[in-house]
Amino acid sequence: MSKKIYKLKSDKPKINFKIDYAGELNDEQYKVIKNAEGPCLVLAGAGSGKTRTLVYRLAYLLEQGVKPKNILLMTFTNKAAREMIWRTEKLLGFKPKGLWAGTFHHIGNRILRQYIKHLSYNSNYSIIDNEDAKNLLKEIIRNKKGYKNFPKANVIKNIISFSINSGKNIETVFTEKFSYLDTELIEPIKNINNIYKNRKKEADLLDYDDLLFLWLKLLKKFPDVKKYLSNKFQYILVDEYQDTNHIQANIVEYLATTHKNILVVGDDAQSIYSFRAADISNILTFPKKFTDTQIFKLKTNYRSTPEILELANNSIKNNINQFPKKLSSVIDSGEKPILIPTQNNEQQAEFISQKIIELTKERYDLKDIAVLFRADFHALELELELNKKSIPYIKRGGIKFFEQAHLKDVISFLKIIYNPKDEIAWTRILNLQKGIGRIGSQKIISAIKNLELNKIITIKNQFPASLKKSWQELLKILIPLEETDKNNIGALLDIVLKQFYINFVNLNFENSPKRLEDIEQLINFTHNYDSLKKFLSDTTLTEDFQAERVTPTAANPEDYLILSTIHQAKGLEWKTVFVINLTSGQFPHAKSIEFEKEIEEERRLFYVACTRAKKFLYLTYPLINYSQTYGFIFSKPSEFLQELDGNLYSEWQLENDSVSEDTIEYLPEV
């Protein structure tokens, strides 16, 4: 069968382009701009000018005479859409009125406002945010009898949402993602979901998932609507296609039915969001779904040195399921990435903080330095060390380790052991217990005021009947805590976890495995302390650090070191990047090692982390870790380090005393 080429009409007058496309773009980008007719897949490597290419392609179409109303640009954030439109306007010198541009949810809302009556909804529906959706689910759960020990609304919402966006039924989602919950919950949750859908429809409400789900349903069930929209959108541009989920990929496929001028931009090597239902198969199978797909590769990197890219290329080539490509740099040659094994997590933290101080002395701003990690708890020791050295930092997209709710919960138990008069800690603990509200909490605190813990646990009959059962349940935790060595912090936390908090987390948080892993690592970390007083002192200082330490220099009040998970760092860049805790079982995560699909996503995470660095890349890992269960254990370097060509990095060996107390430097206080 001959290849069908979709071209602009040849009877158009010759165009005098305002923009010098050939002069302003590299050859790879220019080919996309000029030749991207029909189905096109643009594989845009890290730092290769993805946004620039999309903006220039959009401008090119408009200069060709394509009407703005016939172009659809879909992005994942409103910010990305606004930036692309602004840059296009700046290029053209005019505003393309009528352009369809925005997030999938934004475009879905615009279309549903016109056509939702086909689905027996009113067009004046209201959109509810996630908080409103959870409140509606809370009401449904509260009104159903027999649902006393039931997951919280946010957990139910997460299960329903993942099911919708992944295109999988609730049974499958339970097996794959929520196996820690009782399977007997499946039928009740399906029942709640049905009630939730009916309640929304009765009240003319749509949640964010509905904007996609109903849009797809509209395209599937009403051929006339699909035909109109696919005729209307002569050109479709999609950003970050590797992050699309099941619904989004299907929507794109339906909309491109008529003209097939569908251009998707993405990088399979940076697909790292499967936990949000993103499906890498959407980008990998794109050429199969759209016959005669043209594949363009943007391989010229404008961010990193050749040495950093060589290491990143060497790592990602080990993935089997990918479009192979090798990035090349336009930056001058620099230093090789550096691998630093450290004795333990404490030395790792000391080395990094010391190196950061050295970099600031070499006139690097803190904001040009980032420390990246696989999981929040990997930076636990580092956060404490940064506090000690007065190095200000911000944590992107998250709360500092000890400020997270689940950690403050368990540490509150330690606080009342150390100081039974701590009313704030008591209030937090009592609010976690079923059957104890604000007034009940006040009554209990009043009754136990000024008593030692050994006296508090003997109280049995001083509370109203409504509180007695809840108090007895709490005593199941307090009594063994009181009987345990107060300075055996790991044992104390283990009691809280096993007697109460595991079940509490599973029923109350949608990401309970991550939170429980944080607490397990906190327990491991406590082996550094033989004093509860010292432990609480250090963690409290961490909480208060931001208020006490503002900046290292009054001249630059916005200069902060960046700490970030790799997921939060995608799309960003820094001159210097530290990637830490690169040990087997930590990065890659232990649960991923046996499964090809999961280990490949972990390797993509490593690739993303390395390609954030512009000039310096430091890879660190501790040789010894501590486990509450097994004691001190030797760590193997990450599988991703082991598979690297040893010629692509330099290795530093730290002396045992190289970061001793005598050699530690501190940033001056303001």
Side-chain angles (χ1 to χ4, degrees):
M1 186 176 70
S2 62
K3 182 175 178 180
K4 188 174 182 180
I5 304 295
Y6 297 85
K7 291 187 176 180
L8 295 163
K9 292 181 180 179
S10 59
D11 58 350
K12 287 185 179 179
K14 188 176 180 180
I15 300 166
N16 293 317
F17 289 111
K18 177 182 177 181
I19 302 166
D20 178 13
Y21 295 97
E24 295 181 24
L25 300 167
N26 66 31
D27 289 343
E28 295 166 348
Q29 295 165 343
Y30 185 63
K31 286 177 183 176
V32 176
I33 306 311
K34 291 287 289 183
N35 302 318
E37 297 293 317
C40 296
L41 171 60
V42 180
L43 297 167
S48 64
K50 166 183 69 71
T51 302
R52 183 179 181 83
T53 304
L54 265 177
V55 166
Y56 274 79
R57 175 61 181 170
L58 177 57
Y60 179 79
L61 291 174
L62 292 167
E63 282 204 321
Q64 283 274 13
V66 180
K67 294 178 181 178
K69 68 178 182 180
N70 297 130
I71 299 174
L72 173 62
L73 169 65
M74 288 193 287
T75 64
F76 272 82
T77 66
N78 289 312
K79 180 182 176 183
R82 287 193 298 268
E83 181 186 352
M84 288 186 199
I85 293 169
W86 177 80
R87 287 171 64 172
T88 304
E89 290 175 7
K90 194 174 178 182
L91 274 175
L92 294 170
F94 66 87
K95 184 175 182 177
K97 293 181 179 179
L99 180 71
W100 284 67
T103 65
F104 276 87
H105 294 86
H106 171 78
I107 301 298
N109 179 44
R110 285 186 65 180
I111 288 171
L112 288 174
R113 291 291 181 191
Q114 291 180 255
Y115 299 106
I116 201 167
K117 288 182 179 178
H118 288 64
L119 300 171
S120 302
Y121 285 80
N122 290 319
S123 59
N124 64 339
Y125 60 81
S126 299
I127 300 173
I128 57 174
D129 61 20
N130 285 327
E131 199 58 38
D132 291 332
K134 290 171 189 175
N135 288 335
L136 179 54
L137 282 165
K138 280 180 189 175
E139 184 186 334
I140 294 168
I141 295 167
R142 192 164 48 240
N143 292 334
K144 291 295 288 180
K145 294 179 180 179
Y147 287 177
K148 291 181 181 178
N149 292 314
F150 205 70
K152 293 290 185 183
N154 57 321
V155 179
I156 304 300
K157 180 69 177 71
N158 196 36
I159 293 169
I160 293 170
S161 181
F162 194 88
S163 171
I164 291 169
N165 288 293
S166 65
K168 298 175 181 177
N169 60 41
I170 287 177
E171 289 91 343
T172 302
V173 169
F174 244 76
T175 302
E176 295 180 356
K177 191 172 169 65
F178 297 91
S179 57
Y180 53 86
L181 291 174
D182 192 335
T183 54
E184 291 183 1
L185 293 169
I186 292 175
E187 289 306 316
I189 289 173
K190 288 166 68 176
N191 184 31
I192 286 171
N193 186 30
N194 289 331
I195 297 170
Y196 175 60
K197 286 191 287 188
N198 291 334
R199 288 284 299 274
K200 285 187 295 179
K201 191 165 185 180
E202 289 168 3
D204 288 324
L205 302 174
L206 300 188
D207 64 20
Y208 293 150
D209 295 329
D210 292 326
L211 296 175
L212 299 183
F213 178 77
L214 293 178
W215 182 10
L216 179 58
K217 187 175 181 180
L218 187 71
L219 295 171
K220 280 183 173 180
K221 287 201 164 188
F222 297 93
D224 55 330
V225 175
K226 184 193 77 170
K227 183 178 180 181
Y228 172 78
L229 292 173
S230 63
N231 277 322
K232 175 182 177 61
F233 297 128
Q234 296 173 15
Y235 288 88
I236 300 170
L237 312 174
V238 185
D239 190 21
E240 302 285 12
Y241 194 70
Q242 79 280 349
D243 295 334
T244 53
N245 61 34
H246 169 80
I247 296 180
Q248 291 161 333
N250 275 276
I251 287 170
V252 167
E253 198 170 348
Y254 276 109
L255 292 178
T257 304
T258 303
H259 298 285
K260 292 186 171 56
N261 286 315
I262 168 71
L263 182 149
V264 301
V265 180
D267 183 7
D268 55 292
Q270 297 186 73
S271 179
I272 58 174
Y273 295 116
S274 63
F275 67 94
R276 294 181 189 166
D279 189 350
I280 190 175
S281 68
N282 291 338
I283 192 169
L284 294 178
T285 62
F286 185 87
K288 294 179 181 177
K289 288 183 179 179
F290 292 91
T291 54
D292 301 327
T293 292
Q294 295 185 76
I295 298 178
F296 300 88
K297 294 183 180 182
L298 305 183
K299 299 178 290 183
T300 304
N301 177 281
Y302 293 88
R303 175 188 299 153
S304 306
T305 63
E307 289 77 10
I308 291 171
L309 289 186
E310 279 296 314
L311 184 139
N313 287 331
N314 189 247
S315 174
I316 201 65
K317 74 176 185 181
N318 291 287
N319 272 12
I320 296 169
N321 300 297
Q322 65 167 319
F323 292 105
K325 58 185 174 298
K326 186 176 182 180
L327 298 185
S328 59
S329 177
V330 298
I331 308 295
D332 291 339
S333 183
E335 294 184 9
K336 286 183 180 181
I338 298 168
L339 176 65
I340 308 102
T342 65
Q343 290 297 311
N344 49 38
N345 282 297
E346 289 72 35
Q347 193 187 47
Q348 178 178 244
E350 289 171 355
F351 164 75
I352 291 168
S353 56
Q354 189 70 13
K355 188 63 186 175
I356 288 167
I357 290 174
E358 291 175 13
L359 288 167
T360 61
K361 289 181 176 180
E362 295 170 11
R363 299 186 180 278
Y364 282 94
D365 290 335
L366 285 171
K367 65 185 178 185
D368 291 328
I369 306 170
V371 182
L372 306 183
F373 33 85
R374 171 67 179 81
D376 278 318
F377 66 80
H378 289 173
L380 193 164
E381 290 85 359
L382 178 60
E383 288 194 49
L384 289 175
E385 193 63 29
L386 294 173
N387 293 339
K388 291 175 184 177
K389 286 189 168 69
S390 301
I391 300 175
Y393 67 92
I394 56 174
K395 205 167 181 181
R396 278 193 54 82
I399 304 169
K400 293 181 179 182
F401 188 77
F402 289 105
E403 294 174 359
Q404 297 176 94
H406 52 295
L407 295 166
K408 295 187 84 167
D409 286 346
V410 295
I411 289 173
S412 289
F413 284 92
L414 301 182
K415 287 182 175 181
I416 64 163
I417 294 168
Y418 177 69
N419 175 19
K421 297 177 184 178
D422 188 337
E423 290 190 20
I424 295 174
W426 272 112
T427 300
R428 189 176 192 97
I429 289 168
L430 293 169
N431 286 340
L432 299 176
Q433 312 306 312
K434 280 198 171 184
I436 302 179
R438 183 177 60 85
I439 295 174
S441 177
Q442 290 172 352
K443 287 180 179 178
I444 291 173
I445 290 172
S446 178
I448 65 178
K449 201 169 186 179
N450 299 322
L451 294 177
E452 293 300 316
L453 190 61
N454 61 349
K455 298 293 184 184
I456 290 172
I457 63 175
T458 63
I459 296 175
K460 293 182 179 179
N461 300 310
Q462 294 185 22
F463 306 124
S466 59
L467 294 177
K468 283 182 180 178
K469 184 178 179 182
S470 299
W471 179 251
Q472 289 299 320
E473 288 298 314
L474 183 55
L475 286 179
K476 292 178 182 178
I477 312 165
L478 297 181
I479 290 172
L481 286 176
E482 202 280 331
E483 294 172 347
T484 302
D485 178 3
K486 305 302 179 286
N487 290 318
N488 190 343
I489 308 166
L492 295 171
L493 288 170
D494 198 52
I495 290 168
V496 176
L497 196 60
K498 291 176 179 175
Q499 291 288 341
F500 166 65
Y501 208 69
I502 290 177
N503 188 55
F504 180 85
V505 169
N506 284 340
L507 296 179
N508 286 272
F509 297 111
E510 63 267 28
N511 58 346
S512 68
K514 175 195 173 298
R515 292 178 189 253
L516 290 173
E517 190 173 25
D518 284 347
I519 299 168
E520 290 286 357
Q521 293 301 321
L522 176 65
I523 291 173
N524 293 339
F525 169 72
T526 61
H527 84 278
N528 295 312
Y529 294 87
D530 56 11
S531 162
L532 179 57
K533 176 182 178 180
K534 180 71 167 64
F535 174 79
L536 291 175
S537 193
D538 279 1
T539 56
T540 303
L541 281 173
T542 300
E543 291 176 9
D544 293 341
F545 174 68
Q546 194 62 31
E548 294 177 3
R549 315 281 193 187
V550 182
T551 57
T553 61
N556 196 350
E558 298 301 319
D559 197 24
Y560 293 91
L561 173 72
I562 305 299
L563 302 190
S564 177
T565 62
I566 301 166
H567 287 102
Q568 289 289 339
K570 184 174 174 292
L572 303 174
E573 59 186 41
W574 295 272
K575 287 181 181 176
T576 301
V577 169
F578 295 84
V579 186
I580 68 173
N581 252 54
L582 282 159
T583 60
S584 181
Q586 299 285 353
F587 190 5
H589 193 282
K591 293 180 181 177
S592 70
I593 293 173
E594 297 178 13
F595 303 98
E596 180 182 286
K597 184 177 180 181
E598 293 184 19
I599 196 70
E600 291 203 346
E601 177 152 341
E602 293 282 303
R603 189 178 286 107
R604 294 194 294 270
L605 260 181
F606 179 64
Y607 175 84
V608 167
C610 294
T611 54
R612 300 311 94 198
K614 297 164 72 174
K615 191 171 183 180
F616 301 115
L617 175 62
Y618 297 93
L619 309 172
T620 72
Y621 70 94
L623 293 164
I624 298 172
N625 271 302
Y626 182 83
S627 163
Q628 180 79 356
T629 305
Y630 302 108
F632 289 99
I633 53 176
F634 285 97
S635 300
K636 291 181 180 179
S638 167
E639 284 77 1
F640 305 145
L641 295 178
Q642 295 180 51
E643 66 194 15
L644 288 174
D645 180 343
N647 295 315
L648 299 179
Y649 59 83
S650 301
E651 185 169 348
W652 287 0
Q653 296 295 333
L654 301 182
E655 296 293 335
N656 286 343
D657 60 352
S658 64
V659 286
S660 66
E661 189 67 27
D662 295 336
T663 64
I664 291 176
E665 296 181 55
Y666 295 85
L667 285 178
E669 292 195 36
V670 180

